[in-house]
Structures are given as structure tokens and as C-alpha cells.
């Protein structure tokens, strides 16, 4: 799942301030498994297998109160279908699409605002970015804030532009000019 860099840094701050050493070590192991499950594929590639988020513990989000927008916008309306989809990639998960559209729009707005401020507007794959951050240890967040490039392998710099282009084209087709 793609998140903004500020969202990632917020999650890292929460993890470092509330998780004990054993919990951080377990998260680091889950993040390593996440990267291993990708088997060298880009996180941008569609896959038939379910690669669980490293922040899940016993099927529950360990940072739920401050989960990223993408997580807030992806709500299954059928828990059994959601569970089945993790076992069978052909199963579609019914979602509340209006909420996903709103959070996607907010994500685009945040990225565009970051770019306007001269900050990196790219989204990063949360699992890959967690792995990179936990491997790097202390100082990672500050290095990113100082313009460091440690997240390059986790970045998707085109998602926002691609979505905005689709929105703009749809608006043009219905006579609205964004």
C-alpha cells in the first residue's frame, strides 16, 4: 500500500515511542518477510498472492489510531469476503468506494501540497519503507527530512500524477476543466 512520506514518518515515530524493543524486533522481522515475499518483484506489480502488511499483528493493525489514508479508505463491507480474498486472489472484496475515492483525493492533494512546498511528493510502499527504516535505525527519519534518498527503492513517483491525469481526463470529458 502506498503512503505519503509524512504518514510513514508518523508511523515510525509512533512505533519508536510506543513499541518495546521486542515488538520493534518482531515488526522488523515482519517487514523483512514482507520484502522477502515480494521475491524481488516491484511492489507496483500486481500479484496473485497476499502479502500482509508488517503492521498487522494477529490480523489487527498495530497502528490503527493513526493508520494512513489508504488504510482508512479501504473498508471491506464483508469480512468473510475479505478473509477469502487473502486465500483466493480471484475473490473480489466489496468496499465502500465513495470513501476510497475521498481518501485517494486527499492523498493526491497532500502529494501536490508537498510538491508545492518543495518536498518529495512521492508515495512509498509502506512495507518496503518500514523495512528500510528499521534496517537503517536511529536517524532515519531525520535523514529523510533532510532530503535523504534512503526511500528511493520504496517510492512510486507516478501514482499521484497518473491518478490526477485520469481525474482530469474524466473532468474534461464531462465538460469540467480542473
Amino acid at each position: 500500500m502506498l503512503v505519503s512520506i509524512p504518514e510513514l514518518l508518523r508511523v515510525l515515530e509512533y512505533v519508536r515511542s510506543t513499541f518495546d524493543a521486542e515488538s520493534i524486533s518482531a515488526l522488523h522481522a515482519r517487514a523483512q518477510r514482507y520484502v522477502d515475499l515480494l521475491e524481488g518483484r516491484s511492489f507496483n506489480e500486481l500479484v496473485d498472492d497476499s502479502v500482509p502488511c508488517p503492521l498487522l499483528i494477529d490480523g489487527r493493525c498495530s497502528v490503527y489510531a493513526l493508520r494512513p489514508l489508504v488504510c482508512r479508505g479501504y473498508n471491506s463491507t464483508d469480512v468473510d469476503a475479505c478473509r477469502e480474498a487473502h486465500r483466493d486472489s480471484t475473490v473480489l472484496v466489496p468496499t465502500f468506494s465513495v470513501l476510497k475515492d475521498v481518501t485517494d483525493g486527499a492523498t493526491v492533494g497532500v502529494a501536490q501540497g508537498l510538491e508545492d512546498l518543495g518536498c518529495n511528493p512521492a508515495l512509498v510502499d509502506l512495507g518496503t519503507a518500514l523495512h528500510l527504516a528499521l534496517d537503517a535505525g536511529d536517524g532515519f527519519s531525520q535523514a529523510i527530512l533532510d532530503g535523504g534518498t534512503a526511500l528511493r527503492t520504496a517510492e512510486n513517483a507516478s501514482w499521484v500524477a497518473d491518478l490526477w491525469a485520469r481525474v482530469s481526463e474524466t473532468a474534461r470529458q464531462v465538460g469540467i476543466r480542473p
Side-chain angles (χ1 to χ4, degrees):
M1 76 193 69
L2 295 174
V3 302
S4 70
I5 293 171
E7 288 175 307
L8 167 70
L9 297 179
R10 184 172 180 225
V11 167
L12 285 172
E13 162 62 25
Y14 179 81
V15 165
R16 290 188 171 130
S17 66
T18 61
F19 287 28
D20 61 25
E22 184 178 325
S23 297
I24 290 174
S25 180
L27 174 59
H28 196 178
R30 289 190 305 274
Q32 179 64 56
R33 263 193 312 281
Y34 176 92
V35 170
D36 291 345
L37 285 171
L38 289 179
E39 300 170 344
R41 299 174 292 197
S42 167
F43 53 83
N44 291 316
E45 293 177 42
L46 296 176
V47 295
D48 287 331
D49 49 345
S50 178
V51 181
C53 175
L55 293 168
L56 292 175
I57 299 174
D58 298 326
R60 294 184 154 305
C61 179
S62 60
V63 298
Y64 186 81
L66 56 102
R67 67 199 180 280
L69 280 170
V70 66
C71 303
R72 292 173 187 271
Y74 190 83
N75 293 293
S76 173
T77 59
D78 182 336
V79 70
D80 292 328
C82 190
R83 288 182 180 132
E84 185 61 27
H86 280 283
R87 291 186 287 276
D88 180 354
S89 65
T90 64
V91 173
L92 297 177
V93 178
T95 61
F96 185 43
S97 62
V98 171
L99 185 56
K100 180 161 181 354
D101 290 346
V102 167
T103 56
D104 283 353
T107 299
V108 168
V110 166
Q112 290 172 339
L114 288 168
E115 186 171 37
D116 289 348
L117 292 171
C119 299
N120 184 349
L123 300 181
V124 294
D125 175 65
L126 181 58
T128 303
L130 284 170
H131 177 258
L132 292 169
L134 295 171
D135 268 358
D138 293 340
F140 177 86
S141 294
Q142 189 59 51
I144 294 302
L145 290 171
D146 291 341
T149 60
L151 288 172
R152 289 283 187 246
T153 59
E155 286 185 10
N156 180 323
S158 67
W159 185 87
V160 169
D162 293 345
L163 179 59
W164 187 245
R166 289 193 309 270
V167 167
S168 297
E169 177 57 23
T170 300
R172 188 195 62 72
Q173 289 174 357
V174 297
I176 301 170
R177 301 207 183 267

